[in-house]
Amino acid sequence: MQKYQLLCILFVTFGSIFYGYDSGCTTSVLGYSDFIEYFNLNATTIGAFGSAYYGGGAVGCFLNYYLPDRFGRLRTIQFSCVLGLIGSAMQTGATNFPVFCAGRVIGGIACGIVFSVCPTYASEIASPEIRGRVGAMYAFNVNFAYMFTEWVGLGFYFIKGNAAWRTLLGIQLVPAAAMLIASFWMPFSPRWLVMKGRDDEALEVLRRLHGGTHGHEDDFYVKEYHQIRAQNQIEKDNKLGLMAIFKKPSYRKRMYLVLTFTAFCQFTGIIPLQNYQVQIYLKLGFSNVFSLVLTGVWGTLGCISAITASQVIDRIGRRPLLFVAYSFMIPGGILLVALWASFEATGSANFALGKAVIFGMFFYGFGYSGFMNTFWPAYCGEVMPTNIRATATASSYALFNIIVILLVQVTPMAIEAISWKYFMIFVICDVIFIIIFILFFPETKNKTLEEIGLLFGDEVAETLEEAGQHVDDVLHEHEKHASAHYVDEVQPKHV
């Protein structure tokens, strides 16, 4: 991988740290009695501020129906960073619950924007043979941020007073500020530039990203550019705008796949397990401090899982990766439910069974954290065509947030009321989805974004090999434009 491409991908995947840290700090602060007492929280208000964050996230995703295509992927990220700084500052300095909730909403909007636009941006700047690893890097950053938050959260637990939770929340400012500063060295998406008719800029960006990339010919970026431009012309000629999602059968199918995956992704129960694991640990008889230790272990295990997934996704493909994920998740979910039921049947006296429940949770979390989290950003970004990629990805993450709003609101009450039976619902959903996945989801490994349309029966302007026939023409045209621009710049202007 070329150094410049690597730096750009590191920047884009850093967007997942927004979500990872915000999600993690919510879990940690719920273990702080000072935080609970300061805002006088109960099961209902805990669900409310969780819903406020994810409600804001849904709004941010809906904003991506417009922002990335109008202003560009990069400008959209910069806007979200500014919002993130405002929301984090409000949460950190909140003196009452309404201000805290408002800060969570604004922070949620920022995270919704950045978390859903970054997979689009990443898929558009990555070369085909590494797109899977880009998804893995995205997953790793989510898990790393979560792990970092939980271990820091454990350390802050021993600080008395409100300084602990205010500092933990205040660290949210760091990812937003770092990403905003770094963004001024990032390029625009080459596919967005072609959509806007800025062809010469697009070719230059592709040259910097993919020129001389290991494993490709020196003219790979030129072939890629010609293929992107030819495909964009077909979409323009056929007037395939946003409404094509509803009018074109192959586009509808792609949207169905993405939204179906997103829905069942959330109905795995990962959000209830992750966000409310402290309450689960306490219910199983563990102390406050040890519960926070376990959240740190959960995050660390997620990082190991993401590293493992990154080593295999571009070798085995997307479909086998998801089968690996469910080979952990379904048995882990069954263990969790069965052992928790046995724990309660013994009158909660068998502490060994409580420990065994944790094993089931961690076995399940290993399958989701790396493998499922890697599949999502990689697959959802690459199955959609350029003209609706940002909108479709935003729809996916908007649905994610809408479902999460429901889950974070009802989970505290559901755990209190029906405990293990609540998680039985998610095990059943896992079984249903794996059948749907086997029947309807195609493999996309090692194909350019433009060629993936063939899997859905779309017209593809040209393959990468066919684009190779136009390399000399593209370079000649580019040199001619560059010369004309130079003459225009140096020629004296006459009044």
Side-chain angles (χ1 to χ4, degrees):
M1 188 189 304
Q2 194 188 62
K3 181 181 178 181
Y4 181 67
Q5 182 182 195
L6 174 61
L7 291 174
C8 290
I9 287 171
L10 287 173
F11 167 83
V12 177
T13 55
F14 192 78
S16 59
I17 288 182
F18 267 66
Y19 171 75
Y21 189 89
D22 281 23
S23 177
C25 69
T26 300
T27 304
S28 286
V29 295
L30 289 177
Y32 293 5
S33 56
D34 289 323
F35 174 77
I36 301 292
E37 292 168 7
Y38 187 87
F39 292 118
N40 193 27
L41 298 176
N42 54 40
T44 302
T45 50
I46 288 173
F49 85 72
S51 298
Y53 172 74
Y54 289 107
V59 172
C61 291
F62 286 126
L63 288 175
N64 278 351
Y65 278 33
Y66 175 74
L67 295 175
D69 287 338
R70 176 65 180 85
F71 300 105
R73 286 56 163 142
L74 183 60
R75 294 286 181 256
T76 301
I77 289 174
Q78 290 170 337
F79 173 65
S80 71
C81 291
V82 173
L83 280 183
L85 291 172
I86 296 170
S88 300
M90 289 178 66
Q91 294 169 54
T92 305
T95 56
N96 55 62
F97 188 65
V99 171
F100 177 75
C101 266
R104 289 300 285 173
V105 170
I106 294 173
I109 293 172
C111 285
I113 293 172
V114 77
F115 196 50
S116 60
V117 77
C118 281
T120 296
Y121 191 8
S123 68
E124 292 180 351
I125 66 173
S127 49
E129 76 281 358
I130 66 163
R131 277 201 313 267
R133 275 168 284 174
V134 171
M137 198 178 297
Y138 207 68
F140 175 81
N141 282 347
V142 170
N143 286 288
F144 176 80
Y146 189 82
M147 175 190 70
F148 174 80
T149 312
E150 299 313 329
W151 288 120
V152 169
L154 174 62
F156 286 174
Y157 178 81
F158 299 100
I159 299 174
K160 300 303 179 184
N162 299 322
W165 61 265
R166 289 196 188 277
T167 304
L168 187 66
L169 292 172
I171 295 175
Q172 292 177 92
L173 293 161
V174 176
M179 202 166 187
L180 179 61
I181 293 168
S183 69
F184 293 101
W185 283 270
M186 284 291 294
F188 288 106
S189 160
R191 287 173 170 83
W192 179 78
L193 288 170
V194 170
M195 283 174 59
K196 295 301 178 181
R198 295 160 62 175
D199 292 355
D200 287 341
E201 292 178 65
L203 181 60
E204 179 59 23
V205 169
L206 286 169
R207 184 192 66 77
R208 295 183 68 195
L209 288 170
H210 302 158
T213 302
H214 177 69
H216 289 304
E217 307 90 342
D218 290 340
D219 60 1
F220 168 76
Y221 76 96
V222 184
K223 297 177 186 177
E224 186 182 23
Y225 162 76
H226 195 275
Q227 187 184 46
I228 293 169
R229 193 172 65 168
Q231 191 65 35
N232 180 69
Q233 191 59 50
I234 282 183
E235 291 166 358
K236 280 187 175 180
D237 292 344
N238 294 331
K239 296 182 171 57
L240 295 178
L242 188 59
M243 293 306 294
I245 295 175
F246 306 101
K247 295 179 180 179
K248 191 173 173 63
S250 62
Y251 281 23
R252 287 200 302 271
K253 180 180 179 180
R254 299 194 211 193
M255 183 64 86
Y256 292 153
L257 292 181
V258 167
L259 295 183
T260 299
F261 174 77
T262 301
F264 277 98
C265 193
Q266 296 319 301
F267 289 133
T268 58
I270 189 64
I271 291 297
L273 278 178
Q274 177 174 291
N275 284 23
Y276 296 110
Q277 57 184 297
V278 170
Q279 283 86 336
I280 294 173
Y281 300 145
L282 293 174
K283 195 174 182 67
L284 293 172
F286 295 96
S287 68
N288 262 29
V289 173
F290 195 68
S291 295
L292 290 173
V293 171
L294 288 173
T295 63
V297 175
W298 172 281
T300 304
L301 192 67
C303 287
I304 296 171
S305 176
I307 292 170
T308 305
S310 72
Q311 300 305 304
V312 299
I313 181 171
D314 285 317
R315 297 178 186 176
I316 66 175
R318 296 2 172 196
R319 283 172 59 89
L321 185 81
L322 207 72
F323 295 144
V324 172
Y326 275 96
S327 70
F328 283 95
M329 290 164 56
I330 292 176
I334 292 171
L335 276 174
L336 167 65
V337 169
L339 293 170
W340 193 343
S342 299
F343 174 77
E344 292 191 351
T346 60
S348 302
N350 192 337
F351 191 61
L353 272 177
K355 293 179 180 178
V357 174
I358 304 305
F359 173 79
M361 282 181 62
F362 283 14
F363 195 77
Y364 175 93
F366 183 83
Y368 187 99
S369 297
F371 299 93
M372 197 81 157
N373 267 346
T374 292
F375 180 92
W376 190 6
Y379 198 83
C380 291
E382 62 191 7
V383 298
M384 305 306 298
T386 300
N387 58 319
I388 62 168
R389 183 172 295 115
T391 300
T393 306
S395 298
S396 168
Y397 283 89
L399 180 61
F400 159 82
N401 282 285
I402 290 169
I403 295 174
V404 171
I405 291 169
L406 168 67
L407 294 177
V408 298
Q409 189 65 52
V410 305
T411 294
M413 295 175 282
I415 291 175
E416 286 185 6
I418 58 175
S419 64
W420 62 268
K421 300 180 186 69
Y422 178 56
F423 291 96
M424 190 68 202
I425 299 169
F426 303 122
V427 175
I428 295 170
C429 287
D430 287 346
V431 174
I432 293 171
F433 177 70
I434 198 65
I435 296 171
I436 294 172
F437 182 83
I438 291 170
L439 295 176
F440 298 109
F441 284 69
E443 179 59 64
T444 58
K445 183 180 75 167
N446 287 342
K447 297 182 182 295
T448 66
L449 295 180
E450 287 65 38
E451 290 174 333
I452 286 173
L454 288 171
L455 300 174
F456 299 93
D458 283 343
E459 179 186 4
V460 174
E462 59 189 18
T463 64
L464 201 61
E465 290 73 18
E466 292 168 342
Q469 300 171 15
H470 305 282
V471 169
D472 292 338
D473 294 338
V474 170
L475 291 175
H476 177 70
E477 180 185 355
H478 182 62
E479 289 170 1
K480 186 171 66 175
H481 287 172
S483 297
H485 177 72
Y486 174 76
V487 169
D488 184 61
E489 288 293 316
V490 302
Q491 202 167 37
K493 307 293 188 293
H494 300 286
V495 178

